[in-house]
Amino acid sequence: MILTPAPNSADLPLDSDFDDDIVAEFPLAGGIDLTPITLHLDAQACGQRLDKVVAGLVPQFSRSRLQLWFEQGHVLVDGKPARGKDTAYGDETVVVEPQPAPEDTAFAPEAIALNIVHEDEHILVINKPAGLVVHPGAGNWSGTLLNGLLHHAPQLASVPRAGIVHRLDKDTSGLMVVGKTLAAQTDLVRQLQARSVKREYFALVWGTPSLSGTINASMGRHPKDRVKMAVSTGLGAKPAITHYERVASGMLDRRPVSLVRCSLETGRTHQIRVHMLSIGFGLVGDSVYGKTHLSPVFHRQALQARRLGLVHPATGEACEWVVPLAEDFAELIARAGIPEPEAA
């Protein structure tokens, strides 16, 4: 829904420490030439391992990928499948038959149901369900939101990363915006840089935090576990600011819990999860940052992007969307004796 006129985002100052979870970090679509490659070995190859010789002649492919092709029978010597450990004699004809890796076909349209909250010719606002990965990556080369977007709007194939400008963790539900044109995507990225996009989340945390507060604590990679993020003052740490407000409290499995409304000034990876934990109030269901014995209470981190506000990239008007809590989240807070808050 369109509310009121707002300033042009191009006139706003940029955040020099651009958010971690913005399009700049997303992988680009790619692919390889699958045309068979014919190699004629000479005397210089004599006595060497075949896989070493081939790797030197086709440096555009990684050794691990070539090794897989050897194992799958896609490297032929004089017409017969070869082994990488075979010895080269220097007079063979080697044919390498390149094969696509999962990441080479990651940017393919897939019929994935999308919960579309708003759509026009410039932007698309989606209520992402928990469990849906936003974009292809290691271990998730298909079945992502990006694949679904390409199926829903094929023209997004001409927009970098299918128009995605920010992301949510796989197990976080809620609102995301997509730019359907390059101009719209660029404008949305600038708004995120300028910290003018309003993002409000609801989280259920263990314990009873103060009624409200601001966590201003820089974040970086965890020093011992590179999969995790952590509050940090080390080299590479970036500013991170989270404002929170306790909405209601209850009991879950005889332990106190609180429903907290969080708004972000920055969008670092896992920001709310790390920031709330840093003041002693980890998220319910967070298997990465929470205590192991508490994880079974809920099957995912209890976190949802419930409200999204931005300036429409084409009209310059302020827009805002609010969605109800996801069904599983609503059931969780009901178990804790907390009613679902009404949209303000």
Side-chain angles (χ1 to χ4, degrees), residues 4 12 29 37-38 60 86 179-180 190 228 299:
T4 55
L12 297 174
I37 300 170
T38 301
Q60 66 269 40
D86 289 346
K180 292 181 69 176
R190 287 183 62 83
K228 294 183 178 181
H299 61 281

Side-chain angles (χ1 to χ4, degrees), residues 4 19 23 35 65 88 92 94 130 145 149 154 163 166 174 198 204 287 302 313 317 321 328 333 338:
T4 55
D19 292 352
V23 66
T35 304
R65 184 174 288 200
E92 303 96 326
V94 178
L145 173 61
L149 288 170
H166 65 133
K198 306 302 180 185
L204 190 69
S287 61
E317 295 176 303
W321 298 271
D328 60 348
I333 66 170
I338 299 174

Side-chain angles (χ1 to χ4, degrees), residues 166-288:
H166 65 133
R167 57 189 167 190
L168 297 175
D169 295 335
K170 174 183 177 181
D171 289 326
T172 297
S173 55
L175 291 167
M176 292 183 60
V177 63
V178 173
K180 292 181 69 176
T181 66
L182 179 58
Q185 184 191 46
T186 301
D187 186 85
L188 292 169
V189 169
R190 287 183 62 83
Q191 291 187 51
L192 284 159
Q193 287 176 310
R195 301 187 184 183
S196 62
V197 174
K198 306 302 180 185
R199 290 168 289 175
E200 183 182 282
Y201 293 72
F202 272 1
L204 190 69
V205 302
W206 294 109
T208 309
S210 57
L211 282 174
S212 63
T214 295
I215 306 169
N216 187 346
S218 296
M219 290 177 53
R221 288 289 172 189
H222 193 284
K224 296 182 180 179
D225 187 344
R226 304 303 291 174
V227 174
K228 294 183 178 181
M229 303 297 290
V231 167
S232 172
T233 57
L235 186 66
K238 296 181 179 181
I241 301 174
T242 302
H243 305 285
Y244 71 89
E245 174 189 355
R246 173 159 51 89
V247 176
S249 295
M251 298 290 291
L252 194 61
D253 282 8
R254 295 180 294 180
R255 296 182 177 89
V257 293
S258 298
L259 185 64
V260 177
R261 180 187 291 112
C262 297
S263 59
L264 302 182
E265 285 195 28
T266 55
R268 310 303 176 204
T269 301
H270 302 170
Q271 179 173 320
I272 292 174
R273 299 161 68 184
V274 171
H275 268 180
M276 293 308 299
L277 180 65
S278 74
I279 61 171
F281 304 100
L283 269 63
V284 172
D286 194 336
S287 61
V288 175

